């Protein structure tokens, strides 16, 4: 019953109210999807505002007071990704979840190392700065980078995930490396089109926070 334990237990436990179990699972799934969209949409909103992405992603719906274009873009990207990958493997969901670990190590790792570089002039001013702005992010970044490289190498073997492969290369590696590569390509395109953000002109140390009421 591991594929759908709730459906198996709903009848014996709830009797004529077994339908409530299905409604509860569906409601939980809907809430999970909504909460998942909050992060990407707000990220795209901020990136659009500071010109790391096209300006249309910075638009806020006057009716719902939410990042409309960013939300639609995040949903469309997720739908296209899942629809395409579904044709490649029946286990795309489990392989994607496994690949997420590699991607998390990548972006948290480079964020930690970027912290070290950003605060390099203040890192040795006092003990607190040394610990929180240099030593802790440096150690964390190194550990995450090592984990990322190890996972990337291991995931080349199809046995690392569900066993799905393309050309002998594991689907977990292809998903992780593919998403990171796609992000890098889009970054270079945006840098060529609107280089202000990448030159540090739109987001500085004392840049005012994004205000949704504007």
């Amino acid at each position: 019953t591991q594929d759908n334990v709730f459906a198996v237990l709903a009848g014996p436990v709830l009797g004529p109210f077994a339908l409530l179990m299905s409604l509860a699972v569906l409601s939980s799934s809907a809430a999970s999807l909504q909460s998942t969209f909050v992060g990407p949409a707000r990220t795209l909103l901020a990136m659009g505002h500071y010109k790391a992405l096209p300006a249309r992603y910075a638009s806020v719906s006057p009716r719902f007071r939410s990042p409309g274009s960013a939300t639609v873009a995040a949903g469309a990207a997720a739908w296209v990704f899942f629809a395409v990958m579904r044709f490649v493997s029946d286990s795309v969901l489990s392989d994607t979840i496994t690949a997420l670990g590699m991607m998390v190590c990548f972006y948290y790792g480079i964020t930690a190392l970027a912290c070290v570089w950003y605060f390099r002039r203040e890192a040795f001013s006092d003990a607190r700065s040394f610990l929180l702005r240099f030593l802790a992010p440096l150690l964390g970044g190194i550990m995450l980078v090592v984990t990322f490289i190890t996972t990337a190498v291991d995931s080349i073997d199809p046995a690392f995930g569900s066993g799905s492969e393309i050309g002998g290369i594991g689907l977990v590696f292809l998903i992780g490396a593919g998403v990171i590569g796609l992000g890098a390509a889009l970054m270079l395109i945006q840098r060529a089109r609107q280089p202000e953000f990448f030159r540090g002109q739109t987001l500085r140390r004392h840049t005012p926070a994004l205000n949704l009421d504007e």
Side-chain angles (χ1 to χ4, degrees), residues 188-209:
L188 294 176
I189 293 172
Q190 180 65 13
R191 187 175 188 270
R193 295 178 58 187
Q194 290 182 291
E196 294 91 341
F197 171 81
F198 303 93
R199 293 174 179 172
Q201 297 173 354
T202 60
L203 180 59
R204 300 175 181 272
R205 182 185 295 266
H206 301 295
T207 299

Side-chain angles (χ1 to χ4, degrees), residues 8-15 21:
V8 175
L9 295 177
V13 174
L14 297 177
M21 179 66 74

